[in-house]
Amino acid sequence: MTDRVEIPTRMLVHALIREDGTVDAAELYTVANTLGMSDQQVRLCIKRLLAEGRFTHEGRGRKAVLHATGATARFLAPNADFLRHAFRQDAGHAPWDGTWHLAAFAVPESARTVRDALRETLVHLGGSALQGGLYVCANAWEPYVEDAAGRLGADAALTLLTTTDLRRGGTQDPVELARDLWPLEEIADRYHRLGQVARPRLERLTGSDPVPPAELLTIALELAAELTRAMDPDPLLPPELLPRPWPGARTREVVARCWAALHERAPRDSRPAVFRVYADITCEAAERTRN
């Protein structure tokens, strides 16, 4: 496996959240050192997560215990929802109904921080700017948009609407609109990179040689990191709007097979959260495909 994958420290912390919502600092430092991360790198990451309100803690240093807060659950839940939706699309269980979902907002200059945060959230949720303060998405994003606007105190400035008649300039064809509004070539390249990482790891996981627990965790984190890099900018457009062939579905299928193999090989009593979340989602996808 020659493709080196950079694993963010923050992702490692999230991956080691246990069933009770805690992270053992001693385990965190040990795993981080195994992955080539320094103690200082881990300390700085923990400090940022505490400052953001994503964790609380008791104790100090390697004797500390981190407790995930509700903010962390909200941060992680949409990503799991989006992955589930992607697999539903891949299996043909989420056909597009021709509806475009729009969000408009007017936040004054005096609240620039709120305005910027709302704009970033809309893009993260798969939106693209049609013009200043007006964003479009091909999926039903309203609950996520309303939740974000409410947390930012911008719900009164938000307008939501849908249409089946979207025109931009002289373009009305949905496929052409999608090509113009989202960077599909860049997103496709990210999925090609994910495939390059996933395929040799699948060979390793499905081979006959034993795979030590530390290597299993490393592979899990590598796959999670590259999957995140591929899916973060992906608006998860319905297949009807994408160029053919599209590498997203094909690559996610390889990743799903990796997660199934990881779930099979990992000792049940030592599976971290990242194994559970991704394995559950991919198992759900496999079950839907069989049915």
Side-chain angles (χ1 to χ4, degrees):
M1 296 184 292
T2 57
D3 290 290
R4 184 179 181 278
V5 177
E6 181 180 349
I7 300 171
T9 313
R10 178 179 297 244
M11 177 171 287
L12 173 60
V13 178
H14 288 155
L16 294 181
I17 298 174
R18 298 182 293 202
E19 295 288 346
D20 61 358
T22 64
V23 176
D24 180 81
E27 181 183 23
L28 172 60
Y29 279 102
T30 299
V31 175
N33 293 160
T34 301
L35 297 174
M37 301 176 187
S38 68
D39 285 3
Q40 177 68 4
Q41 187 177 347
V42 176
R43 282 194 293 270
L44 289 174
C45 181
I46 292 173
K47 184 177 180 180
R48 286 193 295 269
L49 290 169
L50 294 174
E52 293 171 12
R54 303 206 182 273
F55 288 87
T56 60
H57 75 110
E58 54 182 296
R60 297 177 61 84
R62 290 178 179 263
K63 296 182 179 180
V65 176
L66 305 180
H67 297 267
T69 65
T72 302
R74 288 193 299 271
F75 176 78
L76 297 176
N79 294 329
D81 289 347
F82 299 157
L83 185 56
R84 286 189 178 92
H85 182 68
F87 279 116
R88 289 183 67 243
Q89 287 181 324
D90 296 344
H93 296 314
W96 192 48
D97 62 1
T99 301
W100 297 101
H101 300 258
L102 294 99
F105 63 90
V107 179
E109 178 67 21
S110 58
R112 179 188 299 179
T113 301
V114 171
R115 184 184 63 197
D116 292 346
L118 185 56
R119 182 185 298 119
E120 291 172 5
T121 298
L122 292 176
V123 172
H124 177 69
L125 291 174
S128 179
L130 289 170
Q131 58 187 59
L134 179 61
Y135 287 73
V136 62
C137 180
N139 295 304
W141 63 348
E142 287 80 2
Y144 301 103
V145 175
E146 289 176 318
D147 178 67
R151 285 187 283 105
L152 292 169
D155 43 349
L158 179 69
T159 299
L160 299 173
L161 63 151
T162 61
T163 183
T164 56
D165 181 18
L166 179 65
R167 282 171 281 184
R168 188 171 187 257
T171 304
Q172 185 176 14
D173 178 72
V175 175
E176 292 183 19
L177 283 170
R179 186 181 60 226
D180 292 344
L181 289 168
W182 287 279
L184 297 183
E185 288 187 9
E186 175 189 331
I187 295 168
D189 287 342
R190 288 172 180 258
Y191 279 114
H192 288 308
R193 160 66 181 172
L194 174 60
Q196 291 172 354
V197 169
R199 289 185 186 92
R201 284 155 181 81
L202 178 60
E203 290 182 8
R204 174 73 170 126
L205 292 169
T206 55
S208 58
D209 294 336
V211 184
E215 186 179 353
L216 289 174
L217 179 58
T218 299
I219 292 174
L221 289 168
E222 289 172 335
L223 290 170
E226 286 301 330
L227 183 62
T228 298
R229 292 187 183 102
M231 289 194 62
D232 267 0
D234 186 354
L236 297 181
L237 295 174
E240 296 89 343
L241 302 181
L242 291 170
R244 300 296 179 89
W246 179 248
R250 184 171 62 252
T251 304
R252 280 190 291 265
E253 191 272 335
V254 176
V255 173
R257 292 169 60 193
C258 288
W259 280 108
L262 280 165
H263 191 262
E264 182 70 23
R265 281 183 176 262
R268 185 175 297 275
D269 59 354
S270 64
R271 292 173 185 164
V274 70
F275 281 70
R276 186 186 71 255
V277 173
Y278 284 96
D280 286 351
I281 293 171
T282 52
C283 286
E284 290 171 12
E287 184 65 26
R288 280 194 298 268
T289 300
R290 285 193 296 268
N291 295 334

